Amino acid sequence: MFYPKSPFIRYPLVESQLCKGNLTLLEDLLPWLCRAPSVTTYRVNLLKTTQEAFKNQVEQLLKKRYHNPPPVFSLPDLPEVVCISPTDHAPNPISEQKEVIVDSCCGAAILRGAHIYSIGVVGMESGTQVGDIVNVYADLSGKCKKGSNIRYDSEQKVYLGQGKVLMQRYQLYRSEGPQPGIAIEILNTISGVPSIGDLSSSEALLQNLPSIVCARSLNPQENELILDMCSAPGNKTTHLAELVKNRAVIVAMDKTESKIKLVLDKISKNNLSCIKAYAYDSTKAYSDEVQQNDIDFKPPFRAKTFDRILLDAPCSALGNRPMLSSSISPKMLDSYPKVQKRLFSNAVMLLKDGGTLVYSTCTVNIAENEEIVVWALKTYPELKLVKIEPVYGEGGWNCDGLLEDDRKKLQRFGPSNQKHIDTVGFFIAKFIKSC
């Protein structure tokens, strides 16, 4: 069966761009990006429940769904994390079954444990009935027409797994749009990730492990002034608030009202009073004209305002897995470091002497990761890299201008991670600003 070996079929030049021509790095990286992480992680809100209580809840759900439920486990140095192992069942397509087609984006979600909502069904064969077990495929070419009723044939059709039909064609392809709800309940997938949907609530959040490590690495303390510069959708922001037990001042910013609404919704859902969220361009967060900060800590801010700053920068997102197909071009990839440097410069100005700055991305691109670190250390000699705790990633990639000792202080999440937790691609660097 066909399965992609690289997500960059449309723009193969991106491959060498990711690693600055060090092609040996790509041998493991490219197929790894195409595969789904085998471990699912949830971050438990310890202000509302316990790790053990949520772990028990997940175990009971898996027992109802699987004859041999996958193990659920915790991590000793991350008391808020619950991990779900993959199942041991790897399905194969059955030729007698009908077929359902989805796009590559929906296909990636299925391989991470999602069901198929009605809007995601691109094609369904005629005669498919409610209750039928169907083969589910993703069309990586994007050429399957919406509403297709015949068996779709393509060299870029990827088998994902099996599902149970909950809606028929007349419910999916209506003039007024598809009937809302789940159209195909996924029973099993080639990734082995349990198909249990998203269990997120105010008590626990589906979140990738590196993002949890990222917030932890900032090591926020009660009664501090903390800035989350690019906070939407609010997952790391709320984690910071939980870590300080809702006893600090956390300023959350993002560029648009729509993004900040996502943050405000999470603040309300979790009853967090320590977060102040503003729609504001963080490249303009520092102003040399501000002598005294606003009483509500509205941006812009004067220099040396914050004890700790998290800059989870906007990036190319080329660490998201599985990445079945990417449309990013070399030109698009080149655009990200410029805005990342502008954000970083504002962060340095806003950080107090002795303060902590964590820079992170969800991409594997060296220009947005190690090269930003090299630029930062050269541009701001008052910054020094420090080791990140806890350690779940590898050191950084070799990069011109990056000392070996500094490289080891970085955390890059890739094909071979320190503690063998299969997760997404991610990068974290932690700086201290000297007095």
Side-chain angles (χ1 to χ4, degrees):
M1 289 185 294
F2 166 73
Y3 198 84
K5 296 180 180 178
S6 169
F8 307 111
I9 297 172
R10 298 182 192 179
Y11 295 101
L13 288 176
V14 167
E15 295 179 1
S16 60
Q17 199 173 350
L18 291 177
C19 57
K20 295 296 179 182
N22 187 355
L23 301 183
T24 57
L25 294 169
L26 298 179
E27 185 177 348
D28 293 329
L29 178 68
L30 295 178
W32 178 80
L33 286 173
C34 294
R35 296 192 302 270
S38 59
V39 176
T40 303
T41 49
Y42 278 86
R43 190 193 88 225
V44 179
N45 182 353
L46 299 181
L47 300 182
K48 292 198 170 186
T49 188
T50 65
Q51 180 196 64
E52 190 62 27
F54 183 72
K55 183 170 175 281
N56 289 339
Q57 177 186 332
V58 174
E59 287 174 334
Q60 292 304 312
L61 176 63
L62 292 171
K63 285 178 182 177
K64 291 179 182 178
R65 189 165 182 82
Y66 296 99
H67 179 67
N68 293 313
V72 180
F73 62 98
S74 55
L75 303 172
D77 46 3
L78 288 170
E80 68 271 47
V81 173
V82 168
C83 301
I84 308 172
S85 303
T87 66
D88 56 7
H89 179 64
N92 288 301
I94 299 173
S95 58
E96 294 80 12
Q97 292 178 348
K98 299 287 189 179
E99 292 185 4
V100 164
I101 304 294
V102 300
D103 64 19
S104 59
C105 183
C106 181
I110 290 167
L111 293 177
R112 292 295 304 265
H115 299 298
I116 307 175
Y117 283 81
S118 55
I119 197 169
V121 181
V122 176
M124 176 185 280
E125 285 189 80
S126 293
T128 305
Q129 302 295 317
V130 169
D132 284 356
I133 306 302
V134 293
N135 298 317
V136 179
Y137 289 86
D139 169 35
L140 304 195
S141 70
K143 294 180 180 178
C144 182
K145 293 182 179 179
K146 185 77 171 181
S148 174
N149 63 356
I150 61 174
R151 183 158 294 201
Y152 178 66
D153 187 27
S154 170
E155 292 181 353
Q156 295 186 42
K157 186 174 79 169
V158 177
Y159 176 67
L160 304 175
Q162 294 180 317
K164 181 179 179 180
V165 176
L166 302 183
M167 291 187 191
Q168 291 181 257
R169 287 185 55 83
Y170 76 89
Q171 297 167 293
L172 299 173
Y173 308 117
R174 309 181 303 176
S175 58
E176 66 269 36
Q179 179 177 310
I182 295 174
I184 310 291
E185 177 190 357
I186 298 298
L187 304 177
N188 48 61
T189 67
I190 59 170
S191 68
V193 174
S195 300
I196 54 176
D198 187 349
L199 306 181
S200 295
S201 67
S202 62
E203 294 187 347
L205 178 74
L206 180 64
Q207 190 174 22
N208 292 315
L209 179 65
S211 295
I212 300 170
V213 173
C214 179
R216 270 269 170 190
S217 69
L218 190 64
N219 193 26
Q221 303 296 310
E222 294 181 25
N223 302 314
E224 288 185 330
L225 283 172
I226 300 165
L227 174 63
D228 187 351
M229 293 185 75
C230 305
S231 59
N235 296 344
K236 297 181 187 69
T237 314
T238 54
H239 190 192
L240 294 174
E242 291 162 20
L243 290 172
V244 297
K245 298 182 175 62
N246 203 25
R247 298 172 189 155
V249 175
I250 300 174
V251 177
M253 296 195 300
D254 222 302
K255 197 170 182 179
T256 65
E257 293 285 353
S258 59
K259 286 187 173 183
I260 281 299
K261 185 180 183 304
L262 298 174
V263 180
L264 290 169
D265 288 346
K266 280 194 167 63
I267 293 171
S268 175
K269 184 178 181 179
N270 290 281
N271 298 314
L272 296 167
S273 59
C274 71
I275 304 171
K276 300 176 182 293
Y278 303 108
Y280 198 84
D281 183 353
S282 288
T283 64
K284 302 173 183 177
Y286 162 70
S287 174
D288 57 8
E289 297 179 2
V290 176
Q291 301 300 314
Q292 186 69 35
N293 288 319
D294 183 273
I295 192 170
D296 289 324
F297 284 99
K298 293 180 180 178
F301 306 103
R302 64 178 178 84
K304 301 181 181 181
T305 291
F306 294 96
D307 298 290
R308 298 177 197 267
I309 297 177
L310 173 60
L311 174 51
D312 185 43
C315 68
S316 56
L318 295 181
N320 289 337
R321 299 175 63 213
M323 199 186 311
L324 299 176
S325 178
S326 173
S327 60
I328 197 165
S329 67
K331 185 177 180 181
M332 290 169 63
L333 195 57
D334 276 338
S335 68
Y336 290 98
K338 297 172 186 177
V339 68
Q340 289 159 351
K341 289 177 181 178
R342 292 203 302 272
L343 289 163
F344 198 103
S345 294
N346 272 259
V348 174
M349 296 303 298
L350 293 174
L351 189 63
K352 291 180 180 178
D353 293 340
T356 300
L357 166 62
V358 167
Y359 172 82
S360 64
T361 72
C362 59
T363 187
V364 296
N365 181 21
I366 193 171
E368 301 175 68
N369 295 335
E370 288 86 354
E371 287 190 357
I372 293 291
V373 171
V374 171
W375 166 83
L377 294 174
K378 182 178 179 180
T379 307
Y380 301 103
E382 66 269 34
L383 295 181
K384 69 173 183 177
L385 279 173
V386 293
K387 186 178 179 182
I388 299 163
E389 297 286 353
V391 179
Y392 278 88
E394 300 266 307
W397 281 352
N398 289 317
C399 176
D400 289 344
L402 183 62
L403 298 175
E404 178 65 10
D405 186 54
D406 283 339
R407 185 189 69 80
K408 292 178 180 178
K409 293 173 183 173
L410 305 172
Q411 281 200 48
R412 175 182 270 271
F413 292 78
S416 56
N417 286 330
Q418 280 270 350
K419 297 188 179 179
H420 310 293
I421 304 294
D422 186 24
T423 185
V424 297
F426 208 87
F427 178 85
I428 310 174
K430 183 176 180 178
F431 302 85
I432 299 293
K433 184 179 179 182
S434 60
C435 300

